[in-house]
Amino acid sequence: MQDPTAYYNAQFNARAAVPDHARIFTRWQKDSAHVRRTHAGLLDLAYGESAGERLDLFPASKRGAPLLVFIHGGWWRSLDKSDFSFIVPGYVRAGFNVALTNYTLAPTASLEEITRQQLRALAWLYRNAEQYDIDPSRIVVAGHSAGGHLAAMMLAAQWPRFADDLPADLVRGGVLLSGLYDLTPVQHADYVNVDLKLKTEHIGPLSPAFMPQAADAPFVTAVGGLESEEFKRQNALIGSVWKDRLTADVALPDRNHLTICDALAAPGDPLFDATVKLLEGLRAA
């Protein structure tokens, strides 16, 4: 039997699997800087007390529009919301508000605390929706890779238990991209777990695949055809355990673990179109 550490290190090391990953990151940063120069945005809004608890909000041109919240990946320990501003223009042109959230990176914060920070971010957006002309009854959360894990945790969140002023259906839909929903294998990927320090007792409470959806929100999944078998397994797993509300598993045969984010940003791409369809299908309260 293959050594699980070597196997999962290879399965999860997306940068090693994408030879031009440095060029992709540079392009994202350049395109995102251009978006922040040319689009109206409220940057670094504080949703909590720590320095990592900040979000960027790009408003729609019309009042009372739905909100798409994007949570970035990077194994919970790298990247920044500002790297993903390039996602914004297509959705704003389509009539939606877009928020990009940050969190304190591991190992400074534990995965439990990172998850709580995203709960605080979504709660802050809900509570301040009227101030920013957002429809609080039409909030959709999207996330990529580690952000896909966090987005799924938001779909599983018991919001009234987090705070009694929050509705059970605070999150009305989800877009889960190449996420991690069963954290059992992550313990074996030592190049990651050196920072996360996950132990067996953390797996159940932090694995959305082992939880029910909290409010039966419709959601979309996607994984790149060029990704590892483990990322494909994770994608199939969440689609299976939450199958009653899965509205689309978008096929992206030519995308890898990074360029799937380009698909999310590109009008006319099946992933972008599925996300818009999900947002448009939400009924205002």
Side-chain angles (χ1 to χ4, degrees), residues 143-149 176-181 222 230-231 234-235 257:
H144 168 246
S145 194
H149 162 266
L176 307 180
L177 312 180
S178 305
L180 298 138
Y181 314 111
E230 178 58 20
F231 278 114
Q234 295 269 348
N235 184 71
H257 189 71

Side-chain angles (χ1 to χ4, degrees), residues 255-272:
R255 299 288 185 173
N256 61 42
H257 189 71
L258 300 181
T259 57
I260 191 173
C261 292
D262 297 321
L264 179 68
D269 189 280
L271 181 55
F272 178 92

Side-chain angles (χ1 to χ4, degrees), residues 33-43 58-59 85 88-90 92-93:
H34 177 74
V35 169
R36 292 193 301 277
R37 288 195 303 269
T38 57
H39 287 69
L42 304 168
L43 307 182
F58 294 84
S85 305
V88 168
V92 171
R93 285 196 298 269

Side-chain angles (χ1 to χ4, degrees), residues 166-203:
L166 302 177
D169 61 349
L170 187 153
V171 176
R172 295 291 302 280
V175 182
L176 307 180
L177 312 180
S178 305
L180 298 138
Y181 314 111
D182 167 15
L183 298 188
T184 307
V186 179
Q187 296 176 94
H188 301 295
D190 55 3
Y191 86 102
V192 172
N193 209 32
V194 66
D195 290 327
L196 298 179
K197 297 179 174 58
L198 288 178
K199 298 180 180 179
T200 301
E201 60 266 27
H202 300 138
I203 301 305

Side-chain angles (χ1 to χ4, degrees), residues 32-147:
S32 292
H34 177 74
V35 169
R36 292 193 301 277
R37 288 195 303 269
T38 57
H39 287 69
L42 304 168
L43 307 182
D44 290 323
L45 297 172
Y47 67 80
E49 295 181 0
S50 71
E53 293 177 279
R54 299 292 183 270
L55 61 84
D56 296 342
L57 179 61
F58 294 84
S61 59
K62 61 182 179 181
R63 300 181 64 180
L67 171 66
L68 178 66
V69 182
F70 180 80
I71 307 174
H72 74 81
W75 281 113
W76 304 281
R77 64 180 183 181
S78 67
L79 303 180
D80 186 89
K81 60 180 171 52
S82 64
D83 297 324
F84 294 89
S85 305
F86 71 90
I87 290 169
V88 168
Y91 294 100
V92 171
R93 285 196 298 269
F96 307 114
N97 300 286
V98 182
L100 309 170
T101 66
N102 257 5
Y103 45 86
T104 303
L105 300 175
T108 302
S110 68
L111 189 47
E112 295 97 326
E113 175 56 18
I114 290 169
T115 303
R116 284 191 290 267
Q117 288 182 342
Q118 293 309 286
L119 293 170
R120 289 195 282 272
L122 270 290
W124 187 93
L125 285 162
Y126 175 82
R127 290 166 176 152
N128 290 276
E130 183 177 355
Q131 176 181 346
Y132 295 106
D133 292 328
I134 295 166
D135 183 348
S137 70
R138 293 188 289 170
I139 296 175
V140 169
V141 63
H144 168 246
S145 194

